[in-house]
Amino acid sequence: MSLHLRRRQRTVDALSTAGIDLLVCGRQDNVNDITGAHQLWTAGTRLPAPICTLNTATGELFLLSTWDEGIPDDIDIHHLHGITWNGATMARRLAATPGMADARRVGIDAWSPGMARLIGSIAPRAEVIPVDDLLARARRIKLAPEVAAIRAACAVAAAAVAAARQHPGDDHQRLAAGLEAMARAGSSTPATAPRVQGPLVDFGCIRSHYEGGLGRTAPPTAPGAAPEERPHADLIAACLPGASGEDLRRAAPDGQWLVRGCGLGFEPPVINPRHGAAELIEPHMVLSVSALVGEEYARDTVLITEHGPEIISPELP
């Protein structure tokens, strides 16, 4: 079974357990997760809108897409609908979704009063439920092909970091060199704002929907510190199965640090000095672990195995 179908089944199982009849998605990460569609990337923010609808019982998908390029074959071409700025047209399309009229519970992400009113008007007998946390929990534990995709994205980020560190120009020129190297390596979509500030270099990218990231400080002509000497070394070592956010706080360095989920972009759990003390680390999570102590910074992407943390971001030359 292809990866996107396995992910979709994971989502359907979670929705079925929660008694959700229909899912209406407006967040692009959730749409990517359940459809596997490669849609045009756009910069900036946008208001929540119904991009994708999933019928839990039948598995039918209805997707906002003006063409079928990048759309998996398992999504019926007749279930694609074009962009509209007409709210009445959007409401009619949603109302025509099989199962909407009889739905008892409809889950929506990116909750807003407008979305809740829209669903309530076309499914008057349904309870409208925010499902952001449910969807995040469903993909908290990564499948093996997801880990492979994150590794590939990390390799792209590493190529960007290496190029920026080796370029002899100023910060702006080094940033441009890193972005060019990232595009050549397989992604032109940043996951986070790239940072090139003197010796500090950090790049994150999205490749085939998945995020990879890497960051370091070191003189451009000198090798980076050994893993056990980096500012986040003790923090990574503390990322053991069953460890809590409070355990990570005790192991963290005195400085700025962050441990957070890595997958289809920035994901839970989120643990830092002020947040996430009750979070638990589980096997097969993938985490982004970063720390800034004084002027020394490091970020790595870490897979949690049954035996402990494994750094999956590549070593820089």
Side-chain angles (χ1 to χ4, degrees):
M1 184 185 292
S2 61
L3 175 55
H4 75 277
L5 291 177
R6 294 176 65 183
R7 293 191 313 231
R8 190 182 306 163
Q9 188 59 53
R10 178 175 63 186
T11 300
V12 167
D13 291 343
L15 294 169
S16 297
T17 300
I20 306 294
D21 300 312
L22 287 168
L23 170 67
V24 180
C25 283
R27 286 177 50 109
Q28 194 63 53
D29 56 342
N30 292 328
V31 173
N32 293 345
D33 185 54
I34 65 175
T35 68
H38 290 266
Q39 296 178 294
L40 181 66
W41 178 78
T42 55
T45 58
R46 61 189 175 206
L47 293 174
I51 300 174
C52 170
T53 306
L54 171 65
N55 186 306
T56 305
T58 66
E60 285 183 292
L61 276 171
F62 296 82
L63 179 63
L64 178 69
S65 183
T66 56
W67 62 353
D68 61 353
E69 179 68 25
I71 306 299
D73 292 340
D74 58 271
I75 300 177
D76 191 329
I77 191 172
H78 298 102
H79 289 183
L80 305 180
H81 51 87
I83 297 171
T84 179
W85 292 103
N86 189 317
T89 300
M90 185 181 299
R92 284 196 301 272
R93 287 174 178 170
L94 276 176
T97 303
M100 183 66 77
D102 301 321
R104 296 165 302 156
R105 304 184 94 195
V106 176
I108 62 174
D109 64 0
W111 176 276
S112 71
M115 277 292 291
R117 285 196 299 271
L118 173 61
I119 302 300
S121 68
I122 61 177
R125 290 181 286 182
E127 179 185 7
V128 184
I129 302 168
V131 292
D132 301 79
D133 291 345
L134 183 151
L135 297 178
R137 284 195 303 272
R139 64 173 186 257
R140 191 178 175 102
I141 305 304
K142 299 296 183 283
L143 303 165
E146 291 184 291
V147 176
I150 295 170
R151 285 184 191 272
C154 286
V156 175
V161 171
R165 283 164 47 114
Q166 293 164 6
H167 196 278
D170 59 25
D171 287 357
H172 179 75
Q173 293 169 323
R174 292 165 60 219
L175 172 61
L179 291 172
E180 181 180 347
M182 190 173 83
R184 285 199 307 269
S187 173
S188 59
T189 307
T192 54
R195 298 173 64 192
V196 180
Q197 300 167 349
L200 191 159
V201 180
D202 185 292
F203 280 84
C205 72
I206 298 291
R207 180 183 182 276
S208 298
H209 295 159
Y210 286 93
E211 176 192 2
L214 180 69
R216 291 286 186 273
T217 49
T221 57
E228 64 273 11
E229 299 171 353
R230 292 174 188 151
H232 64 351
D234 290 342
L235 193 53
I236 290 177
C239 292
L240 298 168
S244 68
E246 188 59 42
D247 294 328
L248 269 58
R249 288 182 180 181
R250 287 193 287 268
D254 293 329
Q256 301 176 41
W257 60 272
L258 174 66
V259 176
R260 52 92 173 173
C262 177
L264 299 175
F266 194 115
E267 295 184 353
V270 179
I271 305 168
N272 62 25
R274 298 171 299 280
H275 184 81
E279 292 281 6
L280 291 178
I281 305 301
E282 301 174 65
H284 308 296
M285 282 183 171
V286 177
L287 304 173
S288 171
V289 182
S290 61
L292 174 64
V293 179
E295 297 183 351
E296 188 178 1
Y297 172 82
R299 171 163 77 115
D300 276 295
T301 305
V302 178
L303 169 66
I304 308 303
T305 74
E306 286 85 352
H307 308 292
E310 173 195 341
I311 295 176
I312 62 174
S313 38
E315 200 54 59
L316 291 171

